[in-house]
Amino acid sequence: MTDHPTDDRRMTDHPAMTDRLDGKVVLVTGAGAGIGRAVAVDAAAAGASVAMIGLSDNVMETAAMITGAGGQAVAVRGDVTAYADVAGAVALAVERFGALDGVVHNATSRYSSMMAKVETLGGDAWDDHLGVSLRGSFNCARAAMAELVRTKGRLLLMTSPAAMEGSPTLPGYAAAKGAIRGLTKALAVEWGPLGVRVNALSPLAVTPALANAQRENPEMEGRLRAVVPLGRVGDPATDIAPVVTFLLGDRSAYVNGQTIVVDGGRYTAL
């Protein structure tokens, strides 16, 4: 057999990869509850210093949870539709922790669970969907680009199955989340040569909005379980957040421009 120096070089030139995020700094939007809170807590548990931005005081509660457990976290109230607020959160992360290695844009419109057809969807709701999801993604990208290029970092944008299969009752949500997939691909192509990876994640999990909808419609939970091959709706902390941590870490170094679907097999044709 012949030797393969290329293979030997792979074994020696790269440091050991790990699932840990020690030394990394991550900014999470919409971290006050649900998936955003789970993502922030999991990243901190993996060793990252976490900065957060959200509209409500509950983002401060998330920071307190992390610091109370011995982690490093800082939170600020702000609106992701306002570039100055996002830029301020980026600056705070760098000032407090010295760098920025990853951004997770999780914030979504307050109308996300409001069902409506196009003819009944109000202009305010449409604008809010596009503002929080799409403009928020744009603001995160613009505000964080210089730091992410410096650290060869990661940008992760949250999308939805509604972006890929459509939705007869969530047109604004589907449109905004679909646009995020296009932005993800564009940024992955533009930033890849700079060493920055950009991906999207499409989760199915019990969020505060979904829990409220299930309380109003008790049959919804059973219907959802029935269409998921694994027989349950995902948990933000145990099913979604670890995948986000993986995408923020070194072991996903060759994943770029992709939509990662984490839904228990609900949508197998996406």
Side-chain angles (χ1 to χ4, degrees):
M1 298 178 63
T2 59
D3 293 333
H4 297 282
T6 301
D7 294 342
D8 293 341
R9 188 165 59 249
R10 287 186 186 134
M11 296 295 292
T12 58
D13 286 357
H14 296 281
M17 290 187 177
T18 173
D19 293 324
R20 299 283 302 173
L21 298 178
D22 297 303
K24 296 188 183 299
V25 181
V26 177
L27 171 64
V28 183
T29 73
I35 292 174
R37 171 173 285 181
V39 165
V41 170
D42 197 75
S49 299
V50 183
M52 292 162 280
I53 178 174
L55 278 176
S56 303
D57 288 338
N58 56 7
V59 72
M60 308 298 179
E61 297 170 4
T62 304
M65 290 172 60
I66 292 172
T67 57
Q72 298 290 322
V74 62
V76 61
R77 288 192 64 176
D79 185 350
V80 297
T81 69
Y83 176 78
D85 287 4
V86 179
V90 169
L92 177 62
V94 175
E95 177 185 354
R96 184 68 61 91
F97 302 123
L100 184 63
D101 300 277
V103 176
V104 180
H105 178 44
N106 168 79
T108 191
S109 168
R110 65 185 183 275
Y111 295 101
S112 292
S113 62
M114 185 188 77
M115 295 186 178
K117 295 185 180 295
V118 167
E119 61 266 27
T120 59
L121 180 67
D124 289 345
W126 174 264
D127 290 343
D128 202 64
H129 280 300
L130 295 182
V132 178
S133 290
L134 189 55
R135 179 174 289 278
S137 295
F138 176 64
N139 287 341
C140 285
R142 282 202 305 153
M145 179 183 176
E147 289 299 325
L148 295 180
V149 169
R150 187 170 69 84
T151 60
K152 309 300 183 187
R154 298 90 164 93
L155 173 63
L156 182 66
L157 306 175
M158 290 293 186
T159 183
S160 165
M164 293 168 274
E165 68 159 12
S167 170
T169 57
L170 297 170
Y173 180 77
K177 294 297 186 179
I180 283 176
R181 292 193 73 210
L183 180 61
T184 296
K185 293 175 183 291
L187 289 174
V189 173
E190 179 184 342
W191 289 4
L194 303 176
V196 180
R197 295 187 291 106
V198 184
N199 291 293
L201 187 139
S202 175
L204 175 63
V206 178
T207 62
L210 179 57
N212 289 336
Q214 289 177 345
R215 279 192 290 270
E216 295 178 6
N217 186 355
E219 297 179 355
M220 179 182 294
E221 183 178 0
R223 290 200 305 269
L224 278 174
R225 286 201 309 265
V227 298
V228 177
L230 292 184
R232 62 184 177 84
V233 178
D235 178 86
T238 59
D239 295 317
I240 309 302
V243 181
V244 174
T245 296
F246 165 73
L247 291 171
L248 292 171
D250 296 333
R251 287 184 180 268
S252 61
Y254 204 52
V255 182
N256 188 41
Q258 304 303 307
T259 295
I260 309 301
V261 181
V262 187
D263 67 354
R266 167 66 180 92
Y267 296 102
T268 57
L270 296 181

